[in-house]
Amino acid sequence: MFTQTATLIATSAGEGPEFHGPSIDEFFPEVIFNAFGVIPVTRIHLIQFLAVIAIVLIFWLGTRRMTVVPGRFQSLVEMGLDFVRVNVAEDLLGKKDGQRFLPILTTIFFMVLFMNITGIIPFLNIAGTSIIAVPLLLAVVSYVTFIYAGVRKSPKNFFKNALFPSGVPPFLYIVVTPLEFISTFIIRPVTLTLRLLMNMMVGHLMLVLFFAATQFFLLDLGGWWSALAAGSLAFGLAFTLFEILVAVLQAYVFTILTAVYIQLAVAEEH
């Protein structure tokens, strides 16, 4: 809508500046250098590296000198860890299984959160999860963990119970089994990947659109068009706050779905 509005305004203004909206090409930036001479590294890859460094640094600083009466920084780190431990791992998996899979769930949550939040940080301005590599990698980790948990719980019956659910008449297995296979072993990792990827891509495009429109109205057109810049800027700032919520929510959703899949794998019927 903003793209069409800005284009129409530029056209009606005669031979004026042309508005350039966000493009899908932003998710395919130019290669900055080749690591080890063979691995291409782009701006998004550098942002991913920064996010990982930030995670390691924050948790190292927050846990290197832990005290019985924690300071503010230690309390903040412990609060984040307890959130995953209590509200995700133990709530869904119980104490025993929650402790077993807590490292994976904690890693997934904070990796997604930190890479999501780079999308609203000035000078970074794009989420590390807005290209498919990270969402796909985490979905594979979730998928492998789900299968491992199920096979470890019931080596002989896991795949049987997943593909041939009890209570279904045997003659219906010709229909039910392919559907269960697609639903359990294909759709789950695909939806995990696409849900996170699409949310981060759309969020970036919307932010670029709002702030690009602000610059266009204020600096390129000027005059009374600057009033529209105030509106697009307000939308941009509001959507930035919304993107913070989305960044946290997507990290939580990805983690809790992983925990749900693990819970289904270790359920008693398996």
Side-chain angles (χ1 to χ4, degrees):
M1 182 182 70
F2 270 91
T3 304
Q4 294 174 345
T5 302
T7 303
L8 288 173
I9 290 172
T11 303
S12 65
E15 295 182 0
E18 182 180 353
F19 177 72
H20 297 283
S23 169
I24 197 71
D25 293 334
E26 296 184 32
F27 302 103
F28 303 94
E30 296 181 0
V31 175
I32 300 175
F33 64 91
N34 289 305
F36 308 107
V38 293
I39 303 175
V41 176
T42 68
R43 186 174 76 89
I44 300 180
H45 295 139
L46 292 179
I47 290 172
Q48 293 171 344
F49 297 153
L50 287 174
V52 172
I53 292 171
I55 295 172
V56 174
L57 185 61
I58 288 174
F59 282 100
W60 177 68
L61 292 174
T63 58
R64 62 173 180 159
R65 294 178 181 175
M66 300 186 71
T67 58
V68 177
V69 180
R72 292 182 180 179
F73 190 64
Q74 181 183 330
S75 296
L76 186 63
V77 172
E78 289 180 352
M79 188 183 304
L81 293 172
D82 285 342
F83 174 78
V84 180
R85 179 177 62 83
V86 175
N87 295 286
V88 178
E90 293 183 358
D91 273 4
L92 288 172
L93 300 174
K95 292 277 186 179
K96 182 179 178 180
D97 287 326
Q99 288 298 321
R100 283 177 58 204
F101 295 101
L102 182 60
I104 289 178
L105 296 175
T106 302
T107 301
I108 288 176
F109 178 81
F110 286 103
M111 187 173 177
V112 174
L113 176 62
F114 275 66
M115 290 202 179
N116 283 354
I117 213 70
T118 59
I120 54 94
I121 295 178
F123 305 110
L124 299 182
N125 300 325
I126 194 168
T129 48
S130 61
I131 58 176
I132 197 170
V134 172
L136 180 59
L137 172 64
L138 294 176
V140 169
V141 170
S142 174
Y143 177 76
V144 171
T145 304
F146 156 69
I147 293 179
Y148 164 80
V151 172
R152 182 69 181 271
K153 177 70 176 181
S154 181
K156 296 181 179 180
N157 297 324
F158 171 67
F159 289 104
K160 175 185 175 183
N161 291 336
L163 298 176
F164 302 93
S166 60
V168 176
F171 69 89
L172 290 179
Y173 283 147
I174 192 172
V175 176
V176 172
T177 298
L179 292 177
E180 289 293 328
F181 174 78
I182 294 173
S183 173
T184 303
F185 297 102
I186 296 179
I187 291 181
R188 285 181 182 178
V190 170
T191 54
L192 277 176
T193 302
L194 294 182
R195 182 186 295 106
L196 177 57
L197 176 66
M198 292 297 107
N199 272 280
M200 292 303 104
M201 288 183 66
V202 170
H204 173 75
L205 292 174
M206 292 297 293
L207 287 176
V208 171
L209 178 59
F210 287 132
F211 290 119
T214 300
Q215 178 181 339
F216 177 72
F217 291 136
L218 184 63
L219 301 180
D220 294 338
L221 292 183
W224 67 273
W225 297 109
S226 300
L228 291 178
S232 60
L233 178 61
F235 275 109
L237 294 176
F239 202 80
T240 299
L241 297 177
F242 179 71
E243 274 299 289
I244 296 175
L245 175 62
V246 170
V248 177
L249 184 62
Q250 286 302 313
Y252 176 73
V253 168
F254 201 108
T255 307
I256 205 165
L257 284 177
T258 300
V260 167
Y261 297 155
I262 295 172
Q263 193 275 334
L264 292 174
V266 299
E268 288 300 324
E269 58 266 23
H270 287 116

